Amino acid sequence: MEETYLLNVEGVKKKILHGGQGELPKLQDGSKITFHFQTLKDDFERTVIDDSREAGIPMEIIVGKMFKLEIWETLLSSMRAGEVAEFWCDAIHTGMYALVSRGMRRIAEGRDPLEGQKHRCGMGNIFDYHSTGYDDLDELQRTPQPLIFIMELFRVEEPSAYKRDTWAMSKEEKLAAVPVLHSEGNRLVLRKEFAQAAAKYQEAVICLRNLQAKEKPWEDGWLKLESLVTPLVLNYCQCQLELGEYYEVLEHTTELLQKHNDNAKAYFKRAKAHAAVWNEREAREDFLRVAHLDPSMAAAVKKELKQLGERMRKKHVEDRKRYQGLFQPPRGP
């Protein structure tokens, strides 16, 4: 099909390359759009800048989540499922493309798309870029120009039709998701599916940390969220102990204790991780802190200290046997 027409948007032209099916999608905040795209320069060679098919994974955007290239939502809203269309967009709509492409390329390369621009406002990031790290994108950033987008729309899903990523949830959705994830994690622990349970606890923590980032530290809202985070982190650490990920436990319990230095359960889990990696002195110190902070755990601490002593004695015996012959002179023939 070679129909070319103007969208009801200044600086945009559309050509349908392959017709789609059904009605035009009704986009709403939270709708997920899945599509492939190709970006070309408006030059004689139609130079290809990006092609999502090279990565092998379709592009996804969530409507209303401030995707930096707003014109894409407009273009996709004019397409039916299965449609392939070519859009010419004037430079007034493509000024942010270099930054968007930079992020997408970094994700495809397995790198952090926000590297170098964290803790900065959006406009500050724009002016702070001396280079995107890609020569072709640096050229687009210096000289904004018209671009051609060829898009193939696969589907549009309503917010209730798919599992939404944490970043795409509203505040209310995140708060509602936390107890559900907590319960699912507990259920998986009972089935001894510790890796899957840890993932549920971790997802719940991410929801709460995202909300916490918008609160002032140590004020009421922040503290209320922190009270929900702490048991989830402890549950996550217990799963990691079961999985033998001891250094992961050391990292998270230490971070937790820097904020809550009276948490006996955190000391207990850190002590067990120290013991597992042969940090005898650190393990004993943490176990003794547990008994001091929570006398009801004294019996458990006594049992752990006894096991630690037995393990360390056994290790010392094995070490002596292993090394006893290293410094003896070689026997004669």
Side-chain angles (χ1 to χ4, degrees), residues 26-173:
K26 295 180 180 179
L27 302 183
Q28 56 180 303
D29 282 358
S31 295
K32 181 166 75 172
I33 310 175
T34 305
F35 60 100
H36 266 310
F37 75 94
Q38 190 178 51
T39 305
L40 306 91
K41 286 186 177 181
D42 185 23
D43 56 14
F44 181 77
E45 294 84 5
R46 289 169 62 94
T47 305
V48 176
I49 301 172
D50 290 307
D51 189 339
S52 63
R53 286 182 174 80
E54 291 184 359
I57 303 174
M59 179 72 181
E60 294 179 349
I61 62 174
I62 306 297
V63 175
K65 293 301 177 183
M66 298 181 68
F67 184 66
K68 289 180 179 178
L69 204 63
E70 294 181 8
I71 192 62
W72 273 15
E73 285 188 15
T74 302
L75 306 183
L76 291 162
S77 68
S78 75
M79 300 177 67
R80 292 172 168 81
E83 180 179 324
V84 181
E86 176 179 311
F87 300 91
W88 177 91
C89 294
D90 200 357
I92 60 174
H93 300 296
T94 63
M96 293 293 291
Y97 185 78
L99 297 184
V100 171
S101 176
R102 175 184 186 269
M104 292 188 295
R105 291 184 187 186
R106 283 178 170 271
I107 291 171
E109 294 165 3
R111 300 163 66 190
D112 183 355
L114 299 178
E115 182 181 331
Q117 57 171 311
K118 292 180 179 177
H119 310 299
R120 299 291 305 276
C121 70
M123 293 305 294
N125 287 325
I126 294 172
F127 293 115
D128 193 45
Y129 282 131
H130 300 292
S131 172
T132 63
Y134 305 94
D135 292 341
D136 57 340
L137 299 183
D138 286 344
E139 178 191 347
L140 290 180
Q141 188 164 260
R142 286 192 299 268
T143 310
Q145 54 193 269
L147 294 175
I148 297 169
F149 301 111
I150 299 177
M151 294 180 161
E152 179 181 1
L153 178 63
F154 292 131
R155 59 185 173 274
V156 175
E157 298 171 88
E158 296 181 359
S160 60
Y162 67 95
K163 183 180 183 298
R164 303 180 70 182
D165 293 328
T166 299
W167 65 268
M169 293 181 181
S170 67
K171 177 180 178 179
E172 292 73 20
E173 288 170 331

Side-chain angles (χ1 to χ4, degrees), residues 226-244:
E226 185 68 14
S227 69
L228 299 175
V229 167
T230 300
L232 288 164
V233 172
L234 291 173
N235 287 359
Y236 173 82
C237 288
Q238 183 60 42
C239 291
Q240 296 303 321
L241 282 173
E242 298 287 350
L243 294 167

